[in-house]
Structure formats: structure tokens, C-alpha cells
Amino acid sequence: MGTITRTITVTGEAEGQGEAASPVHLHCTDSGGGGDGAGPPLLLLHGLAGHSGEWDALAARFAPTHRVAAFDARGSGASTRRPADVSRAAHVRDVVQVARALRLPAGQLVLVGQSMGGITALLTAAAHPELVRALVLIEAGPDGPSPGLPETIGAWLDSWPVPFPGAEAAAAFFGGGAAGRAWAAGLVPGPGGLHPRVDRDVMVASVQESAHRDFWDAWDEVRCPVLVVRAGNGMLKQREADRMAERRPGTRIAVVPDAGHDVHLDDPGAVYGEVAAFLAEVERVTAV
């Protein structure tokens, strides 16, 4: 069975308003694969301003043995571009409702999140332990607050030379290689060239919570096995990873030395090896 795409409509309360928010439409992909004796299903969550296509190389490696699903986060990609609510709670609700809509079995789900998608995965595992079997955080951790983050994100988006004249120029702007091509693939044609599928104000709003708080309280609530993948040239520092392991003994820390923050794009083979080894260990311990 090949990968299928579908749109899942999610609902929920607008953060802090106590009233129903407008429905949000999430663009999902689902390998539907794994075959007989398949491993647990994987749900992949991309980072800020990204898109689910970033996971294609990793998903292709897991698809023969696991069902692999991913979706464009609210405000990104082909999902609703300007949702009323971009709080972390709304992102967590999206994960839960997507898992239910895809009928991913509760208690078997492996959440894999990179960067801000990793924060969403962490918060989901903490709030819904009945749903998550294992957690993989790629270049993501609970440290904070980061007061300058909204300004940094805004300046980064302002630096994009929109419209990009073409995919080659866009890939070069985003650093070239597989990572640059993946970011370029997230753009869409428009007047004068290629345009982003995100809006600056939505992305800045999406990181407001991280500007004002940390997520160590949620980290302390996680009960499932955890793998943390850190890039040697990334943003998740050794100090934070060490503190994560100290507060939660048994946390598995892996480092991909020559990769950057988009390690899942820079070296998907290395990420696959680390995640596959972690899941094999989870299976072994569970079977004992």
C-alpha cells in the first residue's frame, strides 16, 4: 500500500477564550504500511515554519516495517494557514485528534518531533501517557524561557528574499544540500516566483510561550521511554541534554556529530539508525 494523503479537520477551544475555535484542516500523509509483524506506528511532527515533506527520507526507511504518518502543523504547509489558536495546547490537541482520526492504536504510538515539533511531542507525551509508547525528540528540549525568540524568528522570516526566483535559488538561500532542497520544497508558486506557506505573525505567535516559560514540568511528567537526538552543530546543547538525563534517568541521548539543527535532513540515515536501535530496545524491554 502506497502513501496516501488526506485532510483531517480538528476542533477545540480557542486558547483563553472559553469558546469553540474555527475548525482547522490538517494535511496528513499516511504510509499505511508495515506489513505483518510491523513495529509500532510513528507519527512525525516537523519544526516551526516547516512541512511534513521534510520527513520523506526518514519515513521511506521506516515504511517497510512501521506505519508512518505525518502532518503539516496548523499555520504551516497545506494545513490551515491562519488558525485562531496557535498555542502549544492547540498543537497537542491536533496530535491527539490526528491519532484518533487515523486510528493509531492508543498505547502503541511513537511520537517523533523535531525542534518545535519536538516540544509538541513532549507535551503530548506528558499530557496523554495513555497514548504514547515512546518519544523521540530531535533537536528539542524543555529549556527556557527564551525572551528573544519571537524577535529572532521574525527577523529570520524577514530575511527571506521573497519571492524566490526559483527552487535552485531558494535551496541555496536555505543552505543547500538536502536541507536546502527540503525547505525549498515547502514553497509554492505565486506572483514573481516562489512564496512561503507561512505568515510571519502566525509563526511569531507560535513561539510566544517559549519566550515566557520552560517545559521542565512537562518533562518530569513523561513516563514512556525517550530518545533525544542532538546534532553536533545544532541548537540543543550538551548541557541541556545532560540535565534531561539527570532529571529523568534512563533517557537515551544520541549525537550526530556533523549535522546541524535540521539533522533529520542533513543525515536521515544516522537518525534512522539511532531511532531504529532505540525502538528495538523498547521492544526488547517490553517483551521481557
Side-chain angles (χ1 to χ4, degrees):
M1 180 178 177
T3 298
I4 62 171
T5 61
R6 59 180 291 191
T7 299
I8 294 174
T9 300
V10 300
T11 57
E13 289 186 354
E15 182 70 11
Q17 298 179 23
E19 59 185 29
S22 299
V24 170
H25 307 292
L26 301 175
H27 173 79
C28 304
T29 62
D30 181 6
S31 73
D36 294 337
L42 279 61
L43 183 55
L44 312 178
L45 311 178
H46 66 78
L48 187 76
H51 60 101
S52 57
E54 295 177 20
W55 295 110
D56 286 353
L58 187 66
R61 288 168 166 83
F62 275 110
T65 53
H66 295 256
R67 182 179 177 186
V68 185
F71 67 93
D72 293 343
R74 57 174 57 215
S76 300
S79 294
T80 296
R81 183 161 178 157
R82 298 189 63 81
D85 188 355
V86 290
S87 65
R88 286 301 104 195
H91 285 274
V92 169
R93 288 197 301 271
D94 291 346
V95 173
V96 174
Q97 292 193 44
V98 166
R100 289 173 180 165
L102 295 178
R103 297 184 179 179
L104 303 176
Q108 295 299 308
L109 182 61
V110 178
L111 282 184
V112 181
Q114 187 262 345
S115 194
M116 289 300 289
I119 297 299
T120 299
L122 187 163
L123 294 174
T124 305
H128 299 277
E130 76 288 350
L131 182 67
V132 183
R133 182 176 188 177
L135 176 64
V136 179
L137 302 179
I138 301 175
E139 277 289 293
D143 222 356
S146 302
L149 185 59
E151 182 178 357
T152 298
I153 294 302
W156 172 58
L157 292 169
D158 288 341
S159 75
W160 293 19
V162 176
F164 294 91
E168 185 175 341
F173 173 80
F174 290 118
R181 291 191 296 273
W183 278 94
L187 304 171
V188 291
L194 298 176
H195 294 254
R197 291 189 290 177
V198 298
D199 289 333
R200 181 192 192 276
D201 60 325
V202 175
M203 294 299 100
V204 170
S206 296
V207 301
Q208 286 295 336
E209 286 179 60
S210 293
H212 300 291
R213 61 165 294 196
D214 61 51
F215 300 98
W216 287 107
D217 56 344
W219 175 248
D220 292 339
E221 293 299 317
V222 173
R223 296 292 176 260
C224 63
V226 183
L227 166 67
V228 177
V229 179
R230 190 175 72 82
N233 301 316
M235 298 173 64
L236 179 65
K237 302 306 181 186
Q238 185 66 52
R239 172 193 57 78
E240 184 175 359
D242 288 345
R243 187 181 176 195
M244 292 169 76
E246 289 170 3
R247 289 178 71 131
R248 196 180 178 286
T251 299
R252 182 167 177 155
I253 309 291
V255 181
V256 181
D258 298 321
H261 186 58
D262 289 326
V263 56
H264 61 307
L265 299 171
D266 290 341
D267 197 342
V271 173
Y272 169 76
E274 295 293 351
V275 177
F278 167 67
L279 294 180
E281 177 64 15
V282 171
E283 291 294 311
R284 187 191 67 79
V285 171
T286 303
V288 171

mmCIF file of all heavy atoms in Angstrom, residues 80-121:
data_model
loop_
_atom_site.group_PDB
_atom_site.id
_atom_site.type_symbol
_atom_site.label_atom_id
_atom_site.label_comp_id
_atom_site.label_asym_id
_atom_site.label_seq_id
_atom_site.Cartn_x
_atom_site.Cartn_y
_atom_site.Cartn_z
ATOM 1 N N THR A 80 -4.409 24.618 7.531
ATOM 2 C CA THR A 80 -4.981 25.959 7.705
ATOM 3 C C THR A 80 -3.879 26.956 8.040
ATOM 4 O O THR A 80 -3.124 26.770 9.000
ATOM 5 C CB THR A 80 -6.042 25.941 8.817
ATOM 6 O OG1 THR A 80 -7.124 25.106 8.412
ATOM 7 C CG2 THR A 80 -6.570 27.347 9.085
ATOM 8 N N ARG A 81 -3.808 28.003 7.238
ATOM 9 C CA ARG A 81 -2.666 28.917 7.318
ATOM 10 C C ARG A 81 -2.764 29.909 8.472
ATOM 11 O O ARG A 81 -1.747 30.289 9.059
ATOM 12 C CB ARG A 81 -2.529 29.663 5.991
ATOM 13 C CG ARG A 81 -1.338 30.604 5.912
ATOM 14 C CD ARG A 81 -0.998 30.934 4.487
ATOM 15 N NE ARG A 81 0.100 31.872 4.382
ATOM 16 C CZ ARG A 81 0.880 31.990 3.302
ATOM 17 N NH1 ARG A 81 0.649 31.240 2.243
ATOM 18 N NH2 ARG A 81 1.854 32.875 3.282
ATOM 19 N N ARG A 82 -3.979 30.329 8.802
ATOM 20 C CA ARG A 82 -4.154 31.344 9.835
ATOM 21 C C ARG A 82 -5.175 30.864 10.875
ATOM 22 O O ARG A 82 -6.293 31.389 10.959
ATOM 23 C CB ARG A 82 -4.586 32.681 9.229
ATOM 24 C CG ARG A 82 -3.563 33.268 8.259
ATOM 25 C CD ARG A 82 -3.917 34.680 7.850
ATOM 26 N NE ARG A 82 -3.918 35.588 8.987
ATOM 27 C CZ ARG A 82 -2.830 36.151 9.512
ATOM 28 N NH1 ARG A 82 -1.636 35.885 9.006
ATOM 29 N NH2 ARG A 82 -2.928 36.970 10.541
ATOM 30 N N PRO A 83 -4.806 29.857 11.667
ATOM 31 C CA PRO A 83 -5.724 29.396 12.712
ATOM 32 C C PRO A 83 -5.846 30.434 13.816
ATOM 33 O O PRO A 83 -4.927 31.216 14.061
ATOM 34 C CB PRO A 83 -5.045 28.122 13.225
ATOM 35 C CG PRO A 83 -3.589 28.353 12.959
ATOM 36 C CD PRO A 83 -3.519 29.144 11.691
ATOM 37 N N ALA A 84 -6.978 30.425 14.491
ATOM 38 C CA ALA A 84 -7.196 31.385 15.571
ATOM 39 C C ALA A 84 -6.323 31.083 16.778
ATOM 40 O O ALA A 84 -5.975 31.984 17.544
ATOM 41 C CB ALA A 84 -8.667 31.382 15.982
ATOM 42 N N ASP A 85 -5.951 29.844 16.956
ATOM 43 C CA ASP A 85 -5.229 29.396 18.149
ATOM 44 C C ASP A 85 -3.948 28.685 17.715
ATOM 45 O O ASP A 85 -3.997 27.689 16.997
ATOM 46 C CB ASP A 85 -6.128 28.441 18.951
ATOM 47 C CG ASP A 85 -5.537 28.066 20.304
ATOM 48 O OD1 ASP A 85 -4.385 28.460 20.592
ATOM 49 O OD2 ASP A 85 -6.225 27.362 21.069
ATOM 50 N N VAL A 86 -2.799 29.211 18.124
ATOM 51 C CA VAL A 86 -1.521 28.556 17.809
ATOM 52 C C VAL A 86 -0.767 28.207 19.088
ATOM 53 O O VAL A 86 0.450 28.063 19.098
ATOM 54 C CB VAL A 86 -0.645 29.431 16.892
ATOM 55 C CG1 VAL A 86 -1.239 29.511 15.500
ATOM 56 C CG2 VAL A 86 -0.433 30.832 17.478
ATOM 57 N N SER A 87 -1.499 28.075 20.185
ATOM 58 C CA SER A 87 -0.881 27.716 21.457
ATOM 59 C C SER A 87 -0.337 26.293 21.402
ATOM 60 O O SER A 87 -0.718 25.482 20.549
ATOM 61 C CB SER A 87 -1.913 27.818 22.586
ATOM 62 O OG SER A 87 -2.940 26.843 22.400
ATOM 63 N N ARG A 88 0.545 25.991 22.337
ATOM 64 C CA ARG A 88 1.053 24.611 22.423
ATOM 65 C C ARG A 88 -0.096 23.651 22.721
ATOM 66 O O ARG A 88 -0.111 22.519 22.232
ATOM 67 C CB ARG A 88 2.118 24.509 23.519
ATOM 68 C CG ARG A 88 3.451 25.121 23.186
ATOM 69 C CD ARG A 88 4.074 24.488 21.951
ATOM 70 N NE ARG A 88 3.961 25.358 20.788
ATOM 71 C CZ ARG A 88 4.142 24.985 19.552
ATOM 72 N NH1 ARG A 88 4.429 23.732 19.268
ATOM 73 N NH2 ARG A 88 4.006 25.837 18.563
ATOM 74 N N ALA A 89 -1.073 24.086 23.522
ATOM 75 C CA ALA A 89 -2.219 23.218 23.831
ATOM 76 C C ALA A 89 -2.981 22.860 22.565
ATOM 77 O O ALA A 89 -3.444 21.724 22.400
ATOM 78 C CB ALA A 89 -3.140 23.902 24.836
ATOM 79 N N ALA A 90 -3.110 23.827 21.651
ATOM 80 C CA ALA A 90 -3.803 23.547 20.392
ATOM 81 C C ALA A 90 -3.018 22.541 19.564
ATOM 82 O O ALA A 90 -3.596 21.631 18.952
ATOM 83 C CB ALA A 90 -3.999 24.842 19.609
ATOM 84 N N HIS A 91 -1.707 22.669 19.539
ATOM 85 C CA HIS A 91 -0.878 21.717 18.799
ATOM 86 C C HIS A 91 -0.989 20.317 19.398
ATOM 87 O O HIS A 91 -1.018 19.320 18.659
ATOM 88 C CB HIS A 91 0.573 22.195 18.780
ATOM 89 C CG HIS A 91 0.835 23.332 17.838
ATOM 90 N ND1 HIS A 91 1.124 23.139 16.503
ATOM 91 C CD2 HIS A 91 0.843 24.672 18.038
ATOM 92 C CE1 HIS A 91 1.306 24.313 15.916
ATOM 93 N NE2 HIS A 91 1.135 25.259 16.830
ATOM 94 N N VAL A 92 -1.054 20.238 20.711
ATOM 95 C CA VAL A 92 -1.223 18.940 21.370
ATOM 96 C C VAL A 92 -2.570 18.327 20.998
ATOM 97 O O VAL A 92 -2.668 17.130 20.692
ATOM 98 C CB VAL A 92 -1.071 19.076 22.899
ATOM 99 C CG1 VAL A 92 -1.509 17.793 23.604
ATOM 100 C CG2 VAL A 92 0.371 19.409 23.260
ATOM 101 N N ARG A 93 -3.627 19.141 21.019
ATOM 102 C CA ARG A 93 -4.935 18.632 20.613
ATOM 103 C C ARG A 93 -4.901 18.101 19.189
ATOM 104 O O ARG A 93 -5.546 17.088 18.880
ATOM 105 C CB ARG A 93 -6.000 19.736 20.730
ATOM 106 C CG ARG A 93 -6.391 20.092 22.149
ATOM 107 C CD ARG A 93 -7.706 20.865 22.183
ATOM 108 N NE ARG A 93 -7.659 22.096 21.414
ATOM 109 C CZ ARG A 93 -7.272 23.280 21.902
ATOM 110 N NH1 ARG A 93 -6.886 23.374 23.166
ATOM 111 N NH2 ARG A 93 -7.268 24.353 21.134
ATOM 112 N N ASP A 94 -4.147 18.758 18.323
ATOM 113 C CA ASP A 94 -4.039 18.292 16.937
ATOM 114 C C ASP A 94 -3.446 16.887 16.877
ATOM 115 O O ASP A 94 -3.932 16.021 16.144
ATOM 116 C CB ASP A 94 -3.178 19.247 16.119
ATOM 117 C CG ASP A 94 -3.839 20.594 15.890
ATOM 118 O OD1 ASP A 94 -5.061 20.711 16.129
ATOM 119 O OD2 ASP A 94 -3.138 21.531 15.476
ATOM 120 N N VAL A 95 -2.391 16.663 17.647
ATOM 121 C CA VAL A 95 -1.759 15.334 17.652
ATOM 122 C C VAL A 95 -2.761 14.279 18.096
ATOM 123 O O VAL A 95 -2.894 13.215 17.469
ATOM 124 C CB VAL A 95 -0.520 15.327 18.572
ATOM 125 C CG1 VAL A 95 0.036 13.905 18.704
ATOM 126 C CG2 VAL A 95 0.552 16.266 18.038
ATOM 127 N N VAL A 96 -3.481 14.563 19.171
ATOM 128 C CA VAL A 96 -4.435 13.596 19.702
ATOM 129 C C VAL A 96 -5.539 13.316 18.689
ATOM 130 O O VAL A 96 -5.905 12.153 18.440
ATOM 131 C CB VAL A 96 -5.026 14.108 21.037
ATOM 132 C CG1 VAL A 96 -6.133 13.179 21.523
ATOM 133 C CG2 VAL A 96 -3.921 14.216 22.093
ATOM 134 N N GLN A 97 -6.081 14.364 18.072
ATOM 135 C CA GLN A 97 -7.183 14.167 17.130
ATOM 136 C C GLN A 97 -6.715 13.500 15.838
ATOM 137 O O GLN A 97 -7.448 12.698 15.253
ATOM 138 C CB GLN A 97 -7.874 15.504 16.850
ATOM 139 C CG GLN A 97 -8.610 16.033 18.082
ATOM 140 C CD GLN A 97 -9.558 17.187 17.763
ATOM 141 O OE1 GLN A 97 -10.292 17.152 16.790
ATOM 142 N NE2 GLN A 97 -9.542 18.206 18.602
ATOM 143 N N VAL A 98 -5.502 13.799 15.385
ATOM 144 C CA VAL A 98 -4.976 13.108 14.207
ATOM 145 C C VAL A 98 -4.780 11.631 14.505
ATOM 146 O O VAL A 98 -5.131 10.759 13.691
ATOM 147 C CB VAL A 98 -3.651 13.752 13.746
ATOM 148 C CG1 VAL A 98 -2.920 12.847 12.751
ATOM 149 C CG2 VAL A 98 -3.911 15.113 13.117
ATOM 150 N N ALA A 99 -4.215 11.328 15.665
ATOM 151 C CA ALA A 99 -4.016 9.924 16.030
ATOM 152 C C ALA A 99 -5.335 9.170 16.064
ATOM 153 O O ALA A 99 -5.420 8.020 15.588
ATOM 154 C CB ALA A 99 -3.310 9.831 17.381
ATOM 155 N N ARG A 100 -6.364 9.810 16.598
ATOM 156 C CA ARG A 100 -7.675 9.160 16.649
ATOM 157 C C ARG A 100 -8.263 9.010 15.252
ATOM 158 O O ARG A 100 -8.827 7.956 14.912
ATOM 159 C CB ARG A 100 -8.612 9.962 17.539
ATOM 160 C CG ARG A 100 -8.272 9.870 19.023
ATOM 161 C CD ARG A 100 -9.129 10.818 19.837
ATOM 162 N NE ARG A 100 -8.813 10.732 21.271
ATOM 163 C CZ ARG A 100 -9.194 11.632 22.165
ATOM 164 N NH1 ARG A 100 -9.920 12.684 21.783
ATOM 165 N NH2 ARG A 100 -8.869 11.489 23.445
ATOM 166 N N ALA A 101 -8.161 10.056 14.431
ATOM 167 C CA ALA A 101 -8.728 10.001 13.084
ATOM 168 C C ALA A 101 -8.054 8.930 12.231
ATOM 169 O O ALA A 101 -8.707 8.274 11.407
ATOM 170 C CB ALA A 101 -8.600 11.366 12.412
ATOM 171 N N LEU A 102 -6.754 8.732 12.434
ATOM 172 C CA LEU A 102 -6.026 7.712 11.686
ATOM 173 C C LEU A 102 -6.126 6.333 12.341
ATOM 174 O O LEU A 102 -5.585 5.360 11.824
ATOM 175 C CB LEU A 102 -4.552 8.110 11.558
ATOM 176 C CG LEU A 102 -4.261 9.371 10.739
ATOM 177 C CD1 LEU A 102 -2.765 9.661 10.735
ATOM 178 C CD2 LEU A 102 -4.790 9.251 9.324
ATOM 179 N N ARG A 103 -6.798 6.294 13.481
ATOM 180 C CA ARG A 103 -6.969 5.051 14.229
ATOM 181 C C ARG A 103 -5.627 4.410 14.594
ATOM 182 O O ARG A 103 -5.448 3.194 14.522
ATOM 183 C CB ARG A 103 -7.849 4.065 13.454
ATOM 184 C CG ARG A 103 -9.265 4.595 13.239
ATOM 185 C CD ARG A 103 -10.160 3.595 12.552
ATOM 186 N NE ARG A 103 -11.514 4.140 12.378
ATOM 187 C CZ ARG A 103 -12.512 3.484 11.788
ATOM 188 N NH1 ARG A 103 -12.291 2.267 11.301
ATOM 189 N NH2 ARG A 103 -13.697 4.051 11.676
ATOM 190 N N LEU A 104 -4.714 5.264 15.017
ATOM 191 C CA LEU A 104 -3.437 4.774 15.524
ATOM 192 C C LEU A 104 -3.683 4.250 16.936
ATOM 193 O O LEU A 104 -4.241 4.962 17.769
ATOM 194 C CB LEU A 104 -2.399 5.890 15.529
ATOM 195 C CG LEU A 104 -2.144 6.551 14.166
ATOM 196 C CD1 LEU A 104 -1.161 7.704 14.312
ATOM 197 C CD2 LEU A 104 -1.640 5.537 13.153
ATOM 198 N N PRO A 105 -3.294 3.016 17.225
ATOM 199 C CA PRO A 105 -3.687 2.398 18.490
ATOM 200 C C PRO A 105 -3.104 3.100 19.714
ATOM 201 O O PRO A 105 -1.891 3.314 19.792
ATOM 202 C CB PRO A 105 -3.169 0.963 18.368
ATOM 203 C CG PRO A 105 -2.105 1.022 17.319
ATOM 204 C CD PRO A 105 -2.510 2.101 16.368
ATOM 205 N N ALA A 106 -3.965 3.451 20.653
ATOM 206 C CA ALA A 106 -3.533 4.095 21.896
ATOM 207 C C ALA A 106 -2.588 3.180 22.649
ATOM 208 O O ALA A 106 -2.796 1.970 22.732
ATOM 209 C CB ALA A 106 -4.739 4.434 22.761
ATOM 210 N N GLY A 107 -1.536 3.757 23.165
ATOM 211 C CA GLY A 107 -0.554 2.996 23.904
ATOM 212 C C GLY A 107 0.541 2.401 23.045
ATOM 213 O O GLY A 107 1.515 1.870 23.577
ATOM 214 N N GLN A 108 0.409 2.504 21.741
ATOM 215 C CA GLN A 108 1.408 1.959 20.831
ATOM 216 C C GLN A 108 2.152 3.031 20.042
ATOM 217 O O GLN A 108 3.155 2.751 19.382
ATOM 218 C CB GLN A 108 0.735 1.002 19.831
ATOM 219 C CG GLN A 108 0.140 -0.235 20.472
ATOM 220 C CD GLN A 108 1.194 -1.062 21.173
ATOM 221 O OE1 GLN A 108 2.212 -1.405 20.591
ATOM 222 N NE2 GLN A 108 0.957 -1.372 22.444
ATOM 223 N N LEU A 109 1.694 4.257 20.092
ATOM 224 C CA LEU A 109 2.190 5.317 19.230
ATOM 225 C C LEU A 109 3.587 5.788 19.646
ATOM 226 O O LEU A 109 3.858 6.029 20.812
ATOM 227 C CB LEU A 109 1.221 6.497 19.273
ATOM 228 C CG LEU A 109 1.541 7.696 18.385
ATOM 229 C CD1 LEU A 109 1.565 7.302 16.917
ATOM 230 C CD2 LEU A 109 0.524 8.799 18.637
ATOM 231 N N VAL A 110 4.455 5.924 18.642
ATOM 232 C CA VAL A 110 5.768 6.535 18.833
ATOM 233 C C VAL A 110 5.713 7.944 18.248
ATOM 234 O O VAL A 110 5.469 8.116 17.052
ATOM 235 C CB VAL A 110 6.878 5.723 18.142
ATOM 236 C CG1 VAL A 110 8.234 6.418 18.318
ATOM 237 C CG2 VAL A 110 6.927 4.303 18.698
ATOM 238 N N LEU A 111 5.901 8.941 19.089
ATOM 239 C CA LEU A 111 5.922 10.329 18.639
ATOM 240 C C LEU A 111 7.359 10.742 18.354
ATOM 241 O O LEU A 111 8.250 10.569 19.203
ATOM 242 C CB LEU A 111 5.343 11.258 19.701
ATOM 243 C CG LEU A 111 3.829 11.328 19.835
ATOM 244 C CD1 LEU A 111 3.451 12.371 20.884
ATOM 245 C CD2 LEU A 111 3.173 11.663 18.507
ATOM 246 N N VAL A 112 7.581 11.296 17.160
ATOM 247 C CA VAL A 112 8.902 11.768 16.754
ATOM 248 C C VAL A 112 8.749 13.234 16.376
ATOM 249 O O VAL A 112 8.000 13.569 15.452
ATOM 250 C CB VAL A 112 9.444 10.975 15.549
ATOM 251 C CG1 VAL A 112 10.835 11.481 15.166
ATOM 252 C CG2 VAL A 112 9.473 9.483 15.858
ATOM 253 N N GLY A 113 9.434 14.129 17.086
ATOM 254 C CA GLY A 113 9.299 15.551 16.808
ATOM 255 C C GLY A 113 10.646 16.230 16.729
ATOM 256 O O GLY A 113 11.553 15.928 17.510
ATOM 257 N N GLN A 114 10.753 17.162 15.770
ATOM 258 C CA GLN A 114 11.983 17.936 15.615
ATOM 259 C C GLN A 114 11.722 19.386 15.982
ATOM 260 O O GLN A 114 10.698 19.964 15.622
ATOM 261 C CB GLN A 114 12.495 17.841 14.167
ATOM 262 C CG GLN A 114 13.858 18.480 13.933
ATOM 263 C CD GLN A 114 13.803 19.889 13.367
ATOM 264 O OE1 GLN A 114 12.759 20.327 12.888
ATOM 265 N NE2 GLN A 114 14.909 20.613 13.435
ATOM 266 N N SER A 115 12.620 19.997 16.747
ATOM 267 C CA SER A 115 12.547 21.406 17.114
ATOM 268 C C SER A 115 11.194 21.714 17.776
ATOM 269 O O SER A 115 10.831 21.054 18.750
ATOM 270 C CB SER A 115 12.796 22.266 15.873
ATOM 271 O OG SER A 115 13.049 23.606 16.218
ATOM 272 N N MET A 116 10.404 22.662 17.271
ATOM 273 C CA MET A 116 9.123 22.964 17.896
ATOM 274 C C MET A 116 8.167 21.780 17.834
ATOM 275 O O MET A 116 7.314 21.607 18.707
ATOM 276 C CB MET A 116 8.482 24.182 17.245
ATOM 277 C CG MET A 116 9.171 25.503 17.569
ATOM 278 S SD MET A 116 9.221 25.903 19.344
ATOM 279 C CE MET A 116 7.498 26.273 19.645
ATOM 280 N N GLY A 117 8.305 20.949 16.804
ATOM 281 C CA GLY A 117 7.520 19.719 16.759
ATOM 282 C C GLY A 117 7.895 18.788 17.901
ATOM 283 O O GLY A 117 7.058 18.027 18.402
ATOM 284 N N GLY A 118 9.145 18.862 18.338
ATOM 285 C CA GLY A 118 9.572 18.082 19.485
ATOM 286 C C GLY A 118 8.937 18.571 20.777
ATOM 287 O O GLY A 118 8.570 17.769 21.643
ATOM 288 N N ILE A 119 8.785 19.895 20.913
ATOM 289 C CA ILE A 119 8.103 20.426 22.091
ATOM 290 C C ILE A 119 6.659 19.931 22.117
ATOM 291 O O ILE A 119 6.136 19.522 23.164
ATOM 292 C CB ILE A 119 8.143 21.965 22.095
ATOM 293 C CG1 ILE A 119 9.590 22.475 22.177
ATOM 294 C CG2 ILE A 119 7.327 22.508 23.256
ATOM 295 C CD1 ILE A 119 10.326 22.038 23.422
ATOM 296 N N THR A 120 6.002 19.956 20.966
ATOM 297 C CA THR A 120 4.634 19.437 20.895
ATOM 298 C C THR A 120 4.600 17.963 21.283
ATOM 299 O O THR A 120 3.706 17.523 22.026
ATOM 300 C CB THR A 120 4.064 19.618 19.476
ATOM 301 O OG1 THR A 120 4.042 21.018 19.160
ATOM 302 C CG2 THR A 120 2.660 19.063 19.374
ATOM 303 N N ALA A 121 5.559 17.186 20.780
ATOM 304 C CA ALA A 121 5.607 15.759 21.109
ATOM 305 C C ALA A 121 5.818 15.556 22.602
ATOM 306 O O ALA A 121 5.168 14.700 23.230
ATOM 307 C CB ALA A 121 6.728 15.084 20.316
#
